[in-house]
Amino acid sequence: MARESEDAGIAKASKVKRQRKKKTKENKTRIVHANILYDHAKGEENPNRHYANNKIKTTKYTVLSFLPKNLFEQFHRFANVYFVFIALLNFVPVVNAFQPELALAPVVFILSVTAIKDLWEDYRRHRSDKEINHMDCLVYSRADKRYVEKYWKEVRVGDFIRLRCNEILPTDVLLLSSSDPDRLCHIETATLDGETNLKQRQVVRSFFELDCDFDPLKYNSIIECEKPNNDLNRFRGYIIHRSGRRDALYKENLLLRGCTIRNTEEAVGIVIYAGHETKAMLNNNGPRYKRSKLERQMNVDVFWCVIILLVMCLFAAVGHGLWMFQYGDKRPVFDVLSPEGTDLSPIMSAIYLLLTMIIVFQVLIPISLFVSIEIVKICQVYFIHQDMDLYDEETDSHLQCRALNITEDLGQMQYIFSDKTGTLTENKMVFRRCTVAGVEYSHDANARRLAMYQEMDSEEEECTSHGGTLPRRDSVSSHQSARVVLRSHSTKSHRRTGSRAEAKRASILSKHTAFSSPMEKDITPDPQLLNKVNECSNQMDFMRFHSQSMSQLPSDLSDIIDFFIALTICNTVVVSSPNQPRQKVWAKVPSQSPVKTIEDFIKRFTPSRLTSGSNSSSSSNSTLTKLDEEHPGSLDHAFSTVLPCYDGKACTPEEGELRYEAESPDEAALVYAARAYKCSLVGRLPDQVTVELPHLGKLNFELLHTLGFDSTRKRMSVVVRHPLTDQITVYTKGADSVIMDLIKPPDTDTAGRKRQKKIVFRTQSYLNLYAADGLRTLCIAKKILSKEEYACWLQHHLEAETSIQGREQLLFESALRLETNLHLLGATGIEDRLQDGVPETIASLRKAGLQIWVLTGDKQETAVNIAYACKLLDPEEEILTLNADSQVSSSNQNFTDSINPSSSPLSSSSFHTTPFTVHRLGLVIDGRTLAYALDKSLEDKFLAIARSCRSVLCCRSTPLQKSMVVKLVRNKLKVMTLAIGDGANDVSMIQVADVGVGISGQEGMQAVMASDFALPRFRYLQKLLLVHGHWCYSRLANMILYFFYKNAMFVALIFWYQFYCGFSGSAMIDQWYLIFFNLMFSAFPQLITGTLDKDVSAETLQQLPQLYVNGQNSEEYKPYMFWMNMIDAIYQSLICFFVPYFAYAGSDVDLFTWGTPITTLALFTILLHLGIETKTWTRMNWLSIIFSIALFFTVALCYNASCPTCYSPSNLYWTMQRLLQDPLFYLLSGVTPVAALLPRYFYRACQGTLFPSPVQVGRQLDKLPAETRRNILSLSRVKVGSPVHLKPPFLSLTKPSPKGYAKKDQRSFPTSKISQAKQMPVLQTDEEKGQRSPVGPIDSEKGLLDLYTLVPTKVDTLASTKEAPTFAREQQNPVTKDSECLDKTLESSALSLSSWITSTPLLTQADSVQLALPPHGGSQCVKYTRNSEERLSSDHTVHPVHRTEQSLHTTL
Amino acid sequence: MMASSYSTKEEDGHPSGASSHGGPGAVKSKKPDNTAFKQQRLPAWQPILTAGTVLPAFFVIGLIFIPIGIGLYVTSNNIKEYEIDYTGADINSSCYSCAKSYSWNSTTSCVCSVEFILEQPFESNVFMYYGLSNFYQNHRRYVKSRDDSQLNGDQSALMNPSKECEPYRTSDGKPIAPCGAIANSLFNDTLELYYVDSNGTRNAVPLVKKGIAWYTDKHVKFRNPGGNNNLTVAFQGTAKPVNWAKPVYELDPSDPDNNGFINEDFIVWMRTAALPTFRKLYRIIQKKSSTTPTLPSGKYFLNITYNYPVLSFDGRKRVILSTISWMGGKNPFLGIAYITVGSMCFFLGVVLLIIHHKYDTRNSSADIPN
């Protein structure tokens, strides 16, 4: 019944729509009235009528518009226009080559396939739209005076909606009433941003006081707010009551469509935005379309095809003209006049012929290529999506390919830009250590506990033991042992154990608490600190009991208690019990709830009253004590009552188990940490925080303000009234860099000043220590405001709050005014654990020739340590640190100059070079310096340095800087870039990169939304790139090349025929065969091969990351390969044409009896060609080839038998049937394909033996028995993966220098194409310091030669090492010796490499290296030996101990 | 679950990981199936092309091809073929005058004869071909210029031929039957063969003019309009092709089964040749008995009624007498091709063998140092 009335309403509304006046809608705001007031009014009078209704329609087409709109879209693709043009050309009688209708077939086929795909997608959208539009919700109906059920689509702006627990919001709703005692409504925004924690939304302030249920009939306010926009985190407006009062509206008042109501029994709101104007829908933008590198390359070759086509057509046209010309006036009988009976002049004929030839040769431009590529890519995406290894059980999510058409780009990456937090690390924060008032509490027990978790977690997981002062690098290097590395691969599937499993269980128990695995929750308190806390609270209790002033507490003790209070309350953590809505507790004692809003408070809290210092609510000690005595039960009741909610099961309350839901994991970690010290957060309301302290019981902190965290301020603050001291206190928590600057010792008290200074100094040193341990540091500070100060600040703040224009800016400034002159309490160190397998992934990605840059917002020390932990930086590397204002190190001044020749912002920068030898460099740069480096004048120099470094670490970088770095590298170096990140701060970087990867992790979905691929964990990147990327690339590259070959080969057949038919455009291949050859007869095998072919198995690809270089250098599809394929196509077509030609020469064969065998031969040749190129023959491959041949013969036989008079101009009646009886046909089929494919087959065989590509070596490895292969791989892994990593020369030799740097490189690297920094021994010896360029030409040349002379000439290097005097000591220890110094390691890796290489049909290392040596290599070699001696000797004298230690670990 | 339809960009059916809060019952793992196909682990044969592995293929091909080639070559050589050029381009040729004087418009026919001697007797059936050179029967506009429906006896097409026949579609307002350039240029020389026996008398060699066309052409593709009775009536209202001397129903008045569209000479001509130099079957000289050769060696006379001008386009006309084998006429090419390819394979096989021995053996014996 209700629905009927509403239907009428809808009808009315639609009528309104039709009658809509052209009213000026230029106002910048939207005004929403309640619909209920206008229910009886005519539709035109409803002020909300112009706003979109809630019916959503995401479909692109309607039944009528489908055809024109879809065609229009398809014709955006140039190729389609071209093919239609050719098809239409066929309708012109003078030039037509085929039956016009038939010529349309391929175009129509292609267009319809695409159209059907689009239609299906649109239908799916339509179905889901319909489903959504027909969901139910409760809307208030004036007629019924109650809420009635309506479909979502019927909801309109201005309707009142009642929402129940676990309902999904149908529109953007302004919250007017909530059943929650505190006028809150909890929502879960997982579908919007993926954040699984609950968020609080508040009822609009004006409706705060309502004690009873909200009555829509009494509502008569008007809402004015902004126009619909897609900013999820912004909503501004105000509500105007009848009384004329205006109240501001914030995003806290708005419930967004798509969110779910949680923990709130009922809420009522008014619809503000509906349907497509909701923020969720406005955020909905379609999938991204990028063009891959391969496709760009392909388009160049398509362009070449066009040129070839035109050349062929022109050639034929000129030929025809000449042919005509030679007959002169004597018109031969076979030269048919034009239909009009007039003579065609040779020139006219030639022009007509040109067009005809374009039709005949159209096959050269592969019409089906584009469709085939799309099909193959969809299949590739499907397979990637189905990969079990990319599935994360813990989150039940797998890889999502959000961009469908750049899969092959994954195989061509050269640079990876990674975020750190959440990407490399888990973003699961664990409280590790803290320092309070300058005293460090190391939490050793906690460290042990964590270590235990870690062990359980997985044995091979690395580098997370930060315990105590354990030297970090040792733990790194210990993992380089072969045993560990090997096992990491064999036990991959059994990795997730221990705490992971527990975490999973926990997360199943409560889906809402995202960040609270037991590991994070259970914190073992430091006994010393715990004692102090106890002592402190004891004293406070005592003092309170004796009504002494709290300020008499010893300052160190008060600092401790303040520290924990700050940890507890300075956050936005929400306390909740799982799965339960909070109950209305109306039976509250009135005295407890008078202050409900800050405003209320302020109203009564006029400056005059401030001085009185007493407030009825909770300020005085006595009331508080009373309260605590009176109402512990009520509070308990409020938070932990059992109420069966949506899952139907009675949830048993876990005694004392409160869940903390934080927006960031750091906050949760701190709250849990405080709880471990019995200082726990028990409740948070908008205006008060309840904290339970030992001995003191529950304390209510009156929350005056919360100044939220933002990335500019890098801190957050809360302003509370301290219940014990009754002082207005500001607690601030933030990054140490900002807090430390704001600390100001008290001016008055010299002792305190001294003490504070000491604390600051000590804390700073501990902070450095924490950072060195890779902990995230936060500083905690407080400030006590006098009431006058507060009142003064409040004045400004209120102004800021109520202004609509520039409110954010004003609030920001207001916050800055408050957060000054802080008193430092302490600092915390939070550990962010590395994700599983990150070091291995980075190591193998790096071996794959990928440059990995980490761009993080973290502080430098933390970042550097994490970088060490994940093997991004190597202890053996020299670290260049670019800090714009670090101390000047004179010895490196020259280097500085090399980046910065003139006086510029970098003039004070310096390099800290670690003193031992370096073959590779790591660059660490901080945000401020990065800003200088990204300057136009310096970016080239910055890049030059960065490129010569093996790894680059940018710390303290802003999101914008991240994207600028990516852009710079991408544009200047012309490389393929991949950006991976998980948070909103990575979005810009992800969008800029060629391929953006989002980690669907803890920080919401923004990164995922912006990404092309979404991964559950970082380590999946390895398989995604190394395996799928490689496969996708090599499959597509081969398929595209094959396509070009196939078409060229087929078309060339007709071209040769032109020489024998007077260039008349005649074709011996029937039009049907010609048109369907590509589309049907030869289409399937290549699709199968393009989808399923695996050149190397997944295992080998992962174990030999070097094979990835194949894709980076585009080795499967180089420009010359196109031409090689063309030449091969020409050769093959010549064979396929001339063998039948000579076999039938002079015989009585007719046109098509001769043409059909040629077609057949071409088909055989083309399929066998594919056979040669196919690397894996699965059932599908066989089937597809058999199917293709069968299809051809079936179609041919049917077609040849079907109609004796049709298919003008060709008529093949019974031709195939006769051919099948002709032995000559079979004889031709035997010899022609063999002759045509002989060269390619021979070439492939020779290539496989004489100069196999790395990929072929990989394939040969695949063939070996599993046991042998494992041995070989383990050998190569250990050696190749050893600190001095050496790629096989045949891999690195082919590395091209990026084009953009070609000029520079010519100077820097004259002898070789190698420009990879990781191979570059950048020499740091004294004599080279004078070089202007960081990589001087001579040095680099020497360095390069070093590498290559070392490998083959074992004798030389051995000799040189013996000569090195300091080496003798090392040699006593054979193990150490082996992997110790540069050349030895090189040599050993070379040995191992050559050993695994020689086990397969390969040249020795030496052979291929010799090729690369310049003729004067010998002399260089000698030079090197001298150099290396010097270097080695100096190194070992400087740091022998350390290096020995290193090597011990390496060779374990 | 419904919520998931909101999460953006899920048209491709990959709901985001965050949408699994739909209800307690709807916990369905999205774990991919562990099937060989989906995990791309289908069993496969992985050939690796190296000298060692392809070596056998080369030798096998070589060993198969060379004998076949030799067989083909021998077969082809056993075929006897004799060719007479009677174009008359040469001043010494007997048909010189005919060639000079004749054009399409002449009404009188010119007769000339050529004498030749067969050195060897032709056994079994002998096929008599006429051959044309430099005649582009495969010219695009020429090939199109016909109407298959008309040739199939379709009445409406007979009176209203296809546009493809232009400009040989109508003549004096009447439709041409058969229309088109192909029919118009029908080869119309008449050839007669005489055997001059030892005492000098000329004996006409019996030439069979039926059975020279494809069976399907004669019986399916080509049909006379209105059945085969009284072709004159059937072709009433049509005109003869411009170059023809007589209408289509007079092509072979003696034999109603070989007249009109189903005249075999006509059918053979209508099957357009693939290459500019071609031959077409003209007559068959049937084998008389197993003892006497079909064409004994000796002197022959070829009597030509010279109607077909070819000199204007530099053409040549020939008569070919040939026996055939199972693989058709005389053509040594295929045999040579097989022998060449076979030897190439063999040679390359040897090269690969050398390569294999030089480079491959080391790996196969090399064991992995452990």
Side-chain angles (χ1 to χ4, degrees), chain A residues 846-910:
Chain A
R846 171 169 286 167
K847 260 190 283 172
L850 285 155
Q851 291 271 66
I852 301 172
W853 291 30
V854 169
L855 312 175
T856 175
D858 258 343
K859 62 183 294 184
Q860 188 165 320
E861 291 76 12
T862 316
V864 166
N865 280 288
I866 291 282
Y868 274 117
C870 61
K871 281 194 186 168
L872 184 75
L873 294 176
D874 206 297
E876 308 227 342
E877 275 181 349
E878 176 160 1
I879 308 299
L880 293 180
T881 310
L882 290 176
N883 284 344
D885 43 10
S886 62
Q887 83 229 32
V888 178
S889 156
S890 58
S891 64
N892 294 305
Q893 193 58 50
N894 292 320
F895 248 104
T896 318
D897 286 354
S898 70
I899 342 172
N900 182 21
S902 59
S903 60
S904 68
L906 274 178
S907 56
S908 59
S909 72
S910 77

Side-chain angles (χ1 to χ4, degrees), chain A residues 942-961:
Chain A
F942 168 62
L943 272 183
I945 292 184
R947 282 177 66 240
S948 56
C949 296
R950 202 176 72 123
S951 39
V952 177
L953 189 61
C954 302
C955 326
R956 290 250 181 264
S957 49
T958 62
L960 187 66
Q961 279 181 334

